[in-house]
Amino acid sequence: MEQIFIELLEKAKESALKAYSPYSNFPVGACILYESGKIYCGCNVENASYGLSICAERNAMSSAIAEGEKTKIKAIAIYSPKQEMCMPCGACRQWISEFAISENETKIILENKKKEPEVLSLVDIFPYGFKFS
Ligand code: THU
């Protein structure tokens, strides 16, 4: 296990503590390592008008773009204290695909039931994604 993946998951746990999730009571944190070596984190932010809520993953990717990040995603760690192996939703998978190095190279880091980081490739959870070509 690469040390950086362990660190990324720890940062995702810290981000989950910042979540604004009074409606679902389901906090999520996401932390992303880019090719530049920079790390950007996010948490879910809910709204009284439920559909306006934003997921932790898209929040983190939006922060990266807003900060001027131009490189691609090497790995993204996702964590919720409410669920082991907390998987990104379909919309977030499409977003990750947009900024991924490639389906095989970009890694998804989740905490398994043994409380250890589990490493998947984007292709494992999002094969045949939509792309302009
Ligand atoms: N959520 C995320 O932040 N990421 C996901 O990939 C799945 C769902 C959030 C959205 C909502 O605030 C809460 O989890 C329950 O759906």
Side-chain angles (χ1 to χ4, degrees):
M1 174 67 55
E2 284 189 46
Q3 183 62 28
I4 188 73
F5 291 167
I6 297 167
E7 284 173 30
L8 218 52
L9 191 55
E10 288 310 308
K11 281 183 183 292
K13 288 183 188 181
E14 286 169 26
S15 293
L17 296 173
K18 298 174 186 162
Y20 177 73
S21 54
Y23 303 104
S24 70
N25 199 25
F26 191 91
V28 183
C31 276
I32 310 178
L33 173 67
Y34 283 77
E35 290 174 298
S36 61
K38 289 193 189 147
I39 290 172
Y40 301 88
C41 299
C43 57
N44 53 334
V45 182
E46 297 185 345
N47 190 273
S49 179
Y50 290 6
L52 300 181
S53 301
I54 183 152
C55 292
E57 301 91 319
R58 278 179 285 154
N59 198 358
M61 286 180 268
S62 295
S63 289
I65 293 298
E67 290 296 320
E69 184 58 57
K70 303 290 185 210
T71 70
K72 300 290 186 184
I73 295 175
K74 282 180 90 163
I76 175 167
I78 303 153
Y79 176 82
S80 174
K82 292 295 178 82
Q83 192 176 82
E84 64 202 26
M85 295 285 283
C86 180
M87 304 293 287
C89 75
C92 288
R93 292 177 202 205
Q94 179 70 37
W95 263 60
I96 295 165
S97 156
E98 182 78 24
F99 300 113
I101 300 173
S102 74
E103 285 182 341
N104 287 303
E105 289 167 286
T106 296
K107 303 300 176 191
I108 314 291
I109 321 297
L110 308 167
E111 190 172 77
N112 66 22
K113 62 175 164 218
K114 288 189 250 164
K115 307 263 179 229
E116 291 163 353
E118 194 92 14
V119 182
L120 303 174
S121 295
L122 179 57
V123 70
D124 297 325
I125 63 163
F126 198 60
Y128 307 109
F130 173 75
K131 281 194 187 87
F132 275 122
S133 57

